[in-house]
């Protein structure tokens, strides 16, 4: 029986791992009915991420752009300036400017603010029944991103709504209605950031917006349009990934109570456990590439011009890379998760997302003697590129 991988299939949202297993075992380099090559093995995915001929500039594909409002739409015009969607010198130029504020020391300086915000949010929760997504996982990363950028914390809910709409741009299952909503959100978000940039020109502050306005890279400065586009990208990358990492990670621990007990007994290993937690159920499941030249793999050479879909979730459960991959094992060594991408596009905010998640788990385990699922009937968000829960209903006991 032939396999058909369809990202719009509801089962891909709720539990994609049986589908991924069948792909790896029977058709690991799968030619889809919608024109993409689908890769599900770790070695193949990793090879394409590092291939010089694998381009991230998907906005150049007219079909891709048309589904998002067209090449001249506000959303596509913004995305074509995201460092995520750029290759070569253009990518290095913008990444060079932004990387100055994502150093290890800069991320570590956020630790007290993350701790304070986590404590504040959990103080409001108390004990009893709560939805951890809406009470903690959603507000925390957007608050941290606002603080990092120098945007008012009072605007975090609106920034989150814009981010959630715009983040669907990389989802292969979007609809025409999604495209309208994403473009409207981009226009509103762009105008909002432009107003704050105007303020920074007259009164610079110690924040990312001021730094990006004045930072010189290769003898020049970023344009206002480039800054605004990459502020939107930082919200999408930092927010969506971290929300899902917190939710998916805690759910995985609740379904592996022996591993949860291990963290309770050994809190000093929590930070080192995040890579395995990320591997088990990655917050980013799918990314795509356009091939500008042939890319040889073990079994076949993918031709120039091909569109390739990389299944991070499938690669993370590849038994050729990770023995017994369907088991969460916090003692596992040698974990090199692809959930934060790889090669030149490795996620610039990965360290911050890991820090937020480890601090959330630390605070939860210190504060609550019992953490249990309050309802097994879980609903996953419709975005298949970013895998995350709509709600995580918990019963908490101090």
């Amino acid at each position: 029986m032939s396999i058909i991988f369809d990202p719009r299939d509801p089962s891909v949202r709720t539990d994609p791992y049986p589908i991924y297993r069948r792909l790896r075992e029977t058709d690991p380099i799968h030619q889809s009915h919608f024109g993409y090559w689908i890769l599900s093995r770790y070695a193949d995915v990793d090879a394409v991420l590092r291939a010089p001929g694998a381009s991230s500039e998907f906005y150049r594909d007219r079909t891709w752009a048309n589904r998002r409002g067209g090449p001249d739409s506000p959303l596509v015009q913004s995305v074509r300036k995201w460092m995520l969607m750029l290759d070569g010198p253009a990518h290095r130029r913008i990444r060079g400017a932004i990387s100055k504020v994502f150093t290890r020391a800069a991320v570590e300086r956020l630790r007290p603010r993350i701790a304070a915000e986590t404590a504040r949010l959990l103080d409001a929760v108390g004990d009893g029944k709560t939805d951890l997504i809406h009470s903690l996982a959603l507000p925390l990363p957007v608050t941290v991103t606002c603080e990092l950028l120098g945007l008012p914390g009072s605007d975090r809910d609106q920034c989150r709504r814009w981010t959630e709409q715009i983040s669907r741009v990389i989802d292969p299952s979007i609809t025409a209605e999604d495209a309208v909503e994403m473009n409207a959100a981009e226009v509103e978000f762009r105008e909002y950031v432009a107003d704050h940039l105007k303020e920074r020109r007259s009164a610079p502050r110690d924040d990312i917006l001021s730094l990006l306005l004045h930072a010189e890279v290769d003898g020049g400065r970023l344009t206002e349009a480039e800054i605004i586009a990459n502020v939107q990208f930082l919200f999408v990358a930092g927010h969506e990934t971290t929300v899902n990492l917190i939710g998916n990670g805690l759910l995985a621990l609740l379904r592996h109570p022996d591993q949860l007990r291990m963290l309770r007994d050994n809190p000093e290993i929590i930070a080192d456990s995040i890579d395995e937690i990320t591997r088990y159920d990655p917050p980013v499941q799918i990314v795509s590439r356009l091939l500008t030249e042939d890319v040889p793999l073990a079994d076949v050479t993918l031709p120039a011009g091909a569109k390739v879909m990389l299944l991070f979730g499938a690669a993370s459960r590849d038994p050729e890379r990770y023995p017994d991959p369907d088991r969460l094992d916090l003692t596992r060594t040698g974990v090199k998760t692809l959930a934060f991408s790889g090669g030149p596009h490795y996620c610039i905010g990965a360290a911050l997302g890991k820090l937020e998640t480890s601090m959330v788990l630390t605070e939860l385990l210190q504060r609550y003697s019992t953490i249990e699922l309050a309802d097994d009937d879980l609903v996953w968000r419709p975005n298949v590129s970013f895998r995350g829960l709509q709600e995580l209903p918990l019963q908490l006991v101090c």
Side-chain angles (χ1 to χ4, degrees), residues 100-112:
K100 295 176 181 178
V101 295
F102 278 97
T103 63
R104 184 182 297 274
V107 169
E108 192 60 30
R109 283 197 295 272
L110 289 168
R111 183 181 289 272

Side-chain angles (χ1 to χ4, degrees), residues 24 26 28 32-33 47 115 146 149 154 173 180 189 198 215 237 243 247 251 273-274 294 324 327 330 371:
R24 281 195 313 267
T26 64
S32 73
H33 62 288
C146 282
L149 289 164
S154 57
S173 64
V180 171
F189 207 175
K198 184 178 180 180
V243 171
L251 177 62
S273 74
I274 302 302
D294 292 354
D324 197 9
R327 181 171 63 90
L330 301 184
I371 305 173

Side-chain angles (χ1 to χ4, degrees), residues 172-249:
S173 64
I174 60 168
T175 65
E177 183 180 47
D178 293 330
V180 171
E181 292 176 355
M182 288 188 295
N183 277 282
E186 195 285 327
V187 171
E188 292 175 8
F189 207 175
R190 171 160 35 94
E191 292 173 351
Y192 170 82
V193 177
D195 287 342
H196 283 277
L197 288 175
K198 184 178 180 180
E199 293 177 6
R200 297 308 189 280
R201 286 192 181 90
S202 58
R205 303 181 193 173
D206 183 20
D207 57 34
I208 289 182
L209 288 185
S210 299
L211 184 147
L212 292 179
L213 272 173
H214 299 97
E216 288 197 7
V217 183
D218 297 335
R221 292 183 177 178
L222 300 181
T223 67
E224 178 171 302
E226 289 173 327
I227 294 172
I228 293 172
N230 282 283
V231 166
Q232 293 177 352
F233 164 67
L234 287 175
F235 268 99
V236 170
H239 177 68
E240 290 292 325
T241 302
T242 306
V243 171
N244 297 342
L245 182 53
I246 292 171
N248 297 5

Side-chain angles (χ1 to χ4, degrees), residues 79-92:
V79 163
R80 65 186 298 155
K81 300 176 185 69
W82 288 12
M83 65 177 178
L84 175 73
M85 294 283 195
L86 294 171
D87 301 325
H91 172 259
R92 289 192 294 273

Side-chain angles (χ1 to χ4, degrees), residues 149-161:
L149 289 164
L151 298 172
S154 57
D155 294 342
R156 63 188 174 211
D157 288 341
Q158 181 58 69
C159 289
R160 176 175 59 81
R161 285 190 286 270

